[in-house]
Amino acid sequence: KKKILLNMKCIKRQQEGETMEKKPRLLCLHGWRSNSDITNLQLSNLGLDKQFEITHLHGPFQSKVAENPLMQEMSTNKTFYSWLSLRHESPEQLQEELVASLKKVLMHVLARGRPYDAVYGFSQGA
C-alpha cells in the first residue's frame, strides 16, 4: 500500500468543462497529544507532503503538553490535541468520546463537498 501511495500521480478532475491536474486530497488525523506541525514532519519524512493536497483535522481534546518533550520543542503551535481524553471513568464514557471524535471527522468530510482520496491516521488518529 505504501508503494502505491508514494507512486500516485496527479489526478485529473473535471472542472467547468476543463481538465485540470490536481494533487490527490489527503485528510490527516494526528496521534495523541499532537498537532499539524508534528504531522507535517511525519508526512515530509514519508515524502507525502509533495504528493498530496493536505488537510489537517485536530481532535477535540486540547492539551498544553505534547506526548513527549521533543515534540513539545519541535512544534511552533503549543496547543496539542487528542481524539480521546484517556481519562474516561467507564466504558460508556470511552464510547461517548469515540463517537464524538468520529462525528467530528464525519461532519468535516461531509461539509467539504469534495471527497478525500486518502486518509493518513497516526497512532490514536488511526
Side-chain angles (χ1 to χ4, degrees):
K1 291 181 181 179
K2 190 181 205 181
K3 186 176 180 182
I4 292 169
L5 283 177
L6 293 176
N7 290 329
M8 265 179 109
K9 303 262 185 204
C10 290
I11 294 176
K12 291 185 179 183
R13 296 205 169 120
Q14 294 285 29
Q15 188 176 39
E16 298 176 9
E18 294 180 27
T19 301
M20 297 180 66
E21 296 225 356
K22 289 193 174 187
K23 291 181 179 180
R25 296 182 73 220
L26 179 65
L27 176 61
C28 297
L29 307 173
H30 57 76
W32 181 65
R33 288 192 178 173
S34 189
N35 60 33
S36 57
D37 290 349
I38 303 303
T39 303
N40 279 334
L41 291 171
Q42 294 165 335
L43 295 173
S44 178
N45 286 336
L46 294 170
L48 297 177
D49 58 328
K50 293 178 177 41
Q51 296 188 28
F52 286 93
E53 175 188 328
I54 296 170
T55 301
H56 295 276
L57 186 59
H58 287 138
F61 298 96
Q62 291 186 17
S63 174
K64 293 293 179 191
V65 180
E67 181 203 354
N68 63 57
L70 181 60
M71 287 173 55
Q72 184 91 27
E73 190 175 310
M74 293 171 65
S75 181
T76 58
N77 177 359
K78 298 303 179 187
T79 302
F80 301 90
Y81 303 88
S82 298
W83 296 101
L84 298 171
S85 71
L86 299 183
R87 293 186 189 149
H88 38 270
E89 296 176 15
S90 68
E92 292 79 18
Q93 187 180 1
L94 171 61
Q95 185 175 4
E96 288 173 14
E97 288 180 9
L98 184 57
V99 168
S101 291
L102 289 171
K103 187 183 263 187
K104 179 175 181 166
V105 173
L106 289 174
M107 295 304 289
H108 169 82
V109 170
L110 293 173
R112 294 295 171 227
R114 246 176 76 200
Y116 287 96
D117 299 295
V119 176
Y120 170 87
F122 183 82
S123 188
Q124 200 182 69

